[in-house]
Amino acid sequence: MDRGKPGSKMHVLSDANGLPLLVGVSAGNTHDSEGLKPMVEGHQTRHDPHRGRHFKPQRLHADKAYDRADLRRWLRGKRIGVRIARKGIESSKRLGRRRWVIERTMSWLSGYRRLSPRYERDPRNYLAFLGLAAALCCYKRLIRLTT
């Protein structure tokens, strides 16, 4: 937690390739782990009408800021595999192999001029620009894959 820090924090939920699926904003002085539940609950699952089942996230990778027993229980209750570094036990080298994906996504989003530094005073406007930047990242990836 960054006590007294002005500003805001970006929360991003991405897939295994780094495409941003869901973005969110919270106050700069809140703990990172407070943004996990709204992000996971806000993620829409897809329904396959031919097989009659829902597709949901299989695993969640996170850093040590999200190492809380209640979050682990909550994710296991939703049948999502937990891969969160433990404080004082696991080093970041093992999780670093997959963590660079979200770091790259955050770098993509921070590259847009309206997002870093934050110019918007209203959080709804900032969230709208963040969503637009996420859509542009997905669009650029789609163009690169189809050409």
Side-chain angles (χ1 to χ4, degrees):
M1 177 171 12
D2 300 325
R3 291 184 175 90
K5 179 183 175 191
S8 59
K9 290 183 182 179
M10 280 192 279
H11 298 280
V12 179
L13 186 69
S14 74
D15 68 352
N17 296 319
L19 290 177
L21 301 174
L22 192 65
V23 293
V25 177
S26 68
N29 60 355
T30 59
H31 196 270
D32 291 339
S33 62
E34 298 296 322
L36 181 66
K37 283 185 181 181
M39 295 299 286
V40 173
E41 287 175 348
H43 180 63
Q44 298 291 322
T45 58
R46 294 182 306 174
H47 178 69
D48 186 4
H50 301 293
R51 294 185 184 159
R53 62 181 213 166
H54 289 276
F55 292 99
K56 63 176 182 60
Q58 295 176 350
R59 271 186 275 351
L60 179 90
H61 295 270
D63 60 1
K64 294 179 184 182
Y66 298 92
D67 185 23
R68 288 182 20 198
D70 61 325
L71 288 178
R72 287 177 183 272
R73 278 193 305 273
W74 183 76
L75 287 167
R76 285 191 187 115
K78 290 196 164 286
R79 296 185 181 196
I80 297 174
V82 179
R83 199 62 186 112
I84 301 174
R86 297 185 185 271
K87 294 177 185 172
I89 297 174
E90 290 185 59
S91 68
S92 59
K93 290 182 182 177
R94 285 182 54 198
L95 290 177
R97 289 178 286 182
R98 293 189 174 82
R99 183 172 159 74
W100 70 270
V101 174
I102 193 67
E103 294 295 336
R104 180 185 63 186
T105 304
M106 296 295 278
S107 169
W108 287 344
L109 294 174
S110 297
Y112 289 96
R113 203 177 97 179
R114 293 296 289 217
L115 298 178
S116 182
R118 180 178 168 175
Y119 292 112
E120 303 301 320
R121 293 182 65 84
D122 189 4
R124 291 177 295 181
N125 292 346
Y126 183 71
L127 184 60
F129 278 118
L130 187 59
L132 184 60
L136 285 172
C137 288
C138 292
Y139 176 72
K140 287 179 181 179
R141 179 69 157 222
L142 177 68
I143 292 298
R144 192 170 59 190
L145 290 175
T146 58
T147 57

